[in-house]
Amino acid sequence: MAAVCWLLIHCLLFASSSAHNDFFTSIGQMTDLLFTEKDLVTSLKDYIRAEENKLEQIKKWADKLDVLSAAATQDPEGFLGHPVNAFKLMKRLNTEWAELESLVLTDMSDVFISNLTIQRQHFPNDDDQTGAAKALMRLQDTYQLDTNIISTGELPGSSLGASHQSALTVDDCYDLGKVAYSEADYYHTELWMVQALKQLDEGETSSTVDAITILDYLSYSVYQQGELERALEFTRRLLELGRPDDYLPERKKYEELCRGEGIRMTPRRQSRLFCRYYDNNRHPRYVIGPVKEEDEWDRPRIVRYHDIVSDKEMEKVKELAKPRLQRATISNPITGVLETAHYRISKRRATVHDPQTGKLTTAHYRVSKSAWLGAYEHPVVDKINQRIEDITGLDVTTAEDLQVANYGVGGQYEPHFDFGRKDEPDAFEELGTGNRIATWLLYMSDVQAGGATVFTDVRAAVWPKKGTAVFWYNLYPSGEGDYRTRHAACPVLVGNKWVSNKWIHERGQEFRRRCGLQEMD
Ligand code: OGA
Ligand code: FE2
């Protein structure tokens, strides 16, 4: 029984694979395909004609009505005073527009699509296409044909007329290169990528592939063949092309911004940043004493609230956090990072291999001490949470606990996103509250020098000011992450930096995300 089954499967597989594959060598099958294609072109042309007819009728109708209504609206009363006009208006509206509607909705493509569907069963598939590509490269090797000769179609002995001149496009050459690449055949990858690049350089255009992509394949395949110098040269060319005039590695941007250099704000954009008193639509707690809201940045929008938490409250928060920060230092003398059961987006990278010692150590990307404070721990925490909710209009019951962080001299937090990216394992899955929709960052100290919060992608910098909080959305209203929010905490040069963050989550904000805090344009 099993043997019969095996035989059957084998036959099926064999039959289906032999049905294709020999396309390239069977003149009979290939000729059939040629005629099939010819029939399809006829069918396609019929379809185009039908579509044109339809459009012609629609145009006629539009022109007729255009003239008619122009005349009618000149003198509506006079026009409608004529009973025939009145009758025809009724008729048009009641039946003729409906007829037009069905004409507009008529699908003219039926016949063509069904022809195509039927014929497609006999079309070559991906394997056939790959097989044809490989056959071409086999011929190339056997007869030692120059890539350029194949591409221009000027094969020896092919004295066909101009109508048969079959040239390969940039895309064709690139596809051949990719077939070779997927077979780990770097020799042919190189040949065909070089040809694709040559044709691009000669001015041929392509909508699907660019020089950068080709150079990427080239440098890799050359490297695989052991030619490091050439690989490097291709990589250099690639980098040159991929680099806009103002390109800087993120590290450099980060350092520049920390020094207060390279901030990208035009005077025109600057002139549209304002300061205002804000009461969140007459929120009862803020009508009497509205808060001062200042635009820090426009795209993405970052706002700062002034005098939002009192000195007394901040002192209390620090006092509550301090014993835990100390514990953190004890548990990790290098970085002082406290990783509790709470959810840190960078948690997975917190431990890394030290290349010098080979031992596991805690990463230096975040050099600070932190602690988490729950709302139940002290009324001041609850009060601050409430204030965040009142001002942002967002539900904080789904937010993470208040995180308090302290950066000493040299303390920093390298560029990162606060939200979880699609390609990562969902860091917040266990929380069940969705991604981090927004960040609230309260500065609880002034910093004498350094310690800015910088946004490396948009090149913005925000300096700490005690008692002020900055706020931005990490996600677009669609829930997509806003990659412009990439940011970092610069190393403290002189002084000591205290912040507390509130990471607000998606759940609960379905009807809350405030219009006022959307993008400025
Ligand atoms: C963070 C953060 C910035 C800062 O904790 O996620 O980005 O200035 N902090 O401390
Ligand atoms: Fe952050």
Side-chain angles (χ1 to χ4, degrees):
M1 184 61 190
V4 174
C5 268
W6 183 85
L7 202 67
L8 197 64
I9 289 165
H10 186 79
C11 284
L12 282 172
L13 281 176
F14 187 71
S16 70
S17 63
S18 67
H20 294 284
N21 271 353
D22 53 357
F23 269 126
F24 205 57
T25 49
S26 153
I27 190 73
Q29 265 185 309
M30 297 280 276
T31 309
D32 287 350
L33 287 177
L34 221 51
F35 281 100
T36 305
E37 202 172 42
K38 183 168 180 278
D39 289 345
L40 280 176
V41 172
T42 308
S43 176
L44 181 63
K45 282 188 168 163
D46 288 344
Y47 161 63
I48 294 172
R49 215 166 298 119
E51 207 63 272
E52 278 171 350
N53 266 338
K54 172 179 154 181
L55 210 54
E56 204 49 48
Q57 276 177 271
I58 298 171
K59 267 193 217 154
K60 270 192 197 136
W61 168 263
D63 289 344
K64 188 182 101 181
L65 278 240
D66 200 20
V67 174
L68 194 74
S69 56
T73 50
Q74 286 258 315
D75 173 20
E77 280 183 31
F79 179 84
L80 292 173
H82 196 299
V84 170
N85 286 342
F87 164 71
K88 291 189 72 148
L89 176 64
M90 292 301 131
K91 182 175 168 227
R92 269 203 311 279
L93 294 179
N94 187 43
T95 59
E96 292 181 14
W97 275 102
E99 281 163 18
L100 180 78
E101 181 187 24
S102 61
L103 176 63
V104 169
L105 289 174
T106 309
D107 185 357
M108 315 304 276
S109 66
D110 286 1
V111 178
F112 170 66
I113 293 297
S114 64
N115 273 342
L116 184 64
T117 312
I118 294 165
Q119 296 301 343
R120 196 144 40 187
Q121 298 172 44
H122 310 295
F123 278 11
N125 58 23
D126 287 350
D127 288 343
D128 298 317
Q129 193 181 325
T130 308
K134 285 195 227 160
L136 201 56
M137 289 185 262
R138 248 185 347 257
L139 291 171
Q140 175 177 24
D141 292 349
T142 309
Y143 296 101
Q144 298 188 335
L145 301 171
D146 186 61
T147 316
N148 198 52
I149 298 274
I150 300 179
S151 186
T152 52
E154 296 154 0
L155 296 181
S158 68
S159 54
L160 294 164
S163 66
H164 286 278
Q165 278 299 343
S166 359
L168 294 176
T169 62
V170 172
D171 293 295
D172 295 335
C173 297
Y174 171 71
D175 284 339
L176 284 167
K178 272 207 315 197
V179 168
Y181 178 82
S182 64
E183 302 276 305
D185 169 3
Y186 301 113
Y187 168 72
H188 285 105
T189 310
E190 181 189 340
L191 288 181
W192 286 101
M193 291 297 174
V194 163
Q195 182 65 26
L197 198 61
K198 174 175 177 281
Q199 292 184 206
L200 266 187
D201 285 346
E202 286 168 357
E204 203 185 310
T205 53
S206 160
S207 53
T208 51
V209 63
D210 56 19
I212 294 180
T213 314
I214 297 173
L215 282 166
D216 198 5
Y217 276 101
L218 257 178
S219 66
Y220 186 75
S221 52
V222 167
Y223 158 76
Q224 280 294 335
Q225 295 174 83
E227 296 179 63
L228 263 59
E229 279 299 323
R230 284 182 64 222
L232 199 60
E233 186 46 38
F234 283 129
T235 308
R236 276 205 197 96
R237 278 178 68 186
L238 186 157
L239 282 175
E240 244 145 57
L241 286 175
R243 177 184 302 167
D245 292 344
D246 63 350
Y247 175 82
L248 265 187
E250 185 173 52
R251 178 94 233 147
K252 291 275 166 230
K253 280 196 246 177
Y254 170 44
E255 291 172 357
E256 256 190 26
L257 291 166
C258 289
R259 297 192 298 267
E261 297 164 14
I263 294 163
R264 281 294 158 87
M265 177 53 70
T266 61
R268 191 192 168 89
R269 278 166 70 190
Q270 177 88 52
S271 72
R272 288 193 236 155
L273 299 180
F274 294 106
C275 224
R276 64 190 74 80
Y277 282 106
Y278 173 69
D279 66 7
N280 189 10
N281 292 322
R282 306 177 153 234
H283 191 287
R285 269 191 279 270
Y286 296 94
V287 177
I288 310 279
V291 299
K292 214 165 129 199
E293 184 187 75
E294 182 184 5
D295 299 323
E296 280 284 348
W297 206 257
D298 50 359
R299 293 184 295 264
R301 185 152 194 226
I302 304 167
V303 293
R304 189 199 294 260
Y305 296 102
H306 290 265
D307 304 315
I308 204 70
V309 177
S310 72
D311 285 357
K312 234 177 103 186
E313 289 168 322
M314 288 186 283
E315 290 322 306
K316 189 76 212 169
V317 169
K318 289 180 204 169
E319 191 190 310
L320 290 167
K322 262 179 196 164
R324 299 185 206 182
L325 298 174
Q326 244 116 59
R327 273 215 307 279
T329 328
I330 292 159
S331 73
N332 194 328
I334 305 165
T335 63
V337 174
L338 175 67
E339 299 292 349
T340 65
H342 292 271
Y343 297 85
R344 294 290 322 285
I345 192 143
S346 43
K347 198 165 68 175
R348 290 173 302 103
R349 288 191 300 147
T351 342
V352 295
H353 262 106
D354 183 325
Q356 248 105 55
T357 64
K359 283 192 188 130
L360 284 179
T361 82
T362 311
H364 286 258
Y365 65 85
R366 183 160 199 185
V367 186
S368 71
K369 306 167 200 163
S370 52
W372 300 85
L373 298 179
Y376 53 86
E377 296 190 49
H378 193 278
V380 76
V381 181
D382 194 29
K383 224 164 118 188
I384 290 174
N385 289 344
Q386 185 61 53
R387 206 164 298 153
I388 297 171
E389 173 156 321
D390 294 342
I391 289 169
T392 65
L394 298 175
D395 185 350
V396 294
T397 56
T398 53
E400 290 160 71
D401 282 347
L402 194 69
Q403 190 196 47
V404 181
N406 176 225
Y407 305 77
V409 168
Q412 60 161 7
Y413 191 176
E414 290 186 358
H416 64 280
F417 300 106
D418 282 352
F419 61 89
R421 260 88 58 238
K422 274 208 203 84
D423 58 354
E424 293 181 322
D426 189 350
F428 309 119
E429 197 172 60
E430 291 166 66
L431 293 176
T433 51
N435 211 338
R436 283 175 174 162
I437 192 174
T439 297
W440 167 279
L441 176 67
L442 171 72
Y443 296 108
M444 302 198 294
S445 68
D446 292 312
V447 181
Q448 278 128 288
T453 307
V454 297
F455 293 76
T456 45
D457 187 57
V458 294
R459 301 203 195 178
V462 177
W463 269 271
K465 182 170 177 249
K466 191 174 181 184
T468 72
V470 288
F471 176 85
W472 69 85
Y473 278 104
N474 294 305
L475 307 180
Y476 287 108
S478 64
E480 285 285 316
D482 185 345
Y483 285 79
R484 301 171 306 176
T485 62
R486 192 165 173 84
H487 61 280
C490 294
V492 171
L493 179 57
V494 182
N496 200 294
K497 177 181 171 186
W498 283 91
V499 296
S500 61
N501 328 59
K502 194 79 179 163
W503 282 302
I504 301 166
H505 283 245
E506 285 175 294
R507 182 85 61 254
Q509 323 306 349
E510 291 80 357
F511 303 104
R512 287 191 180 227
R513 187 167 187 177
R514 240 183 54 212
C515 304
L517 269 174
Q518 309 299 334
E519 191 89 354
M520 297 197 290
D521 30 38

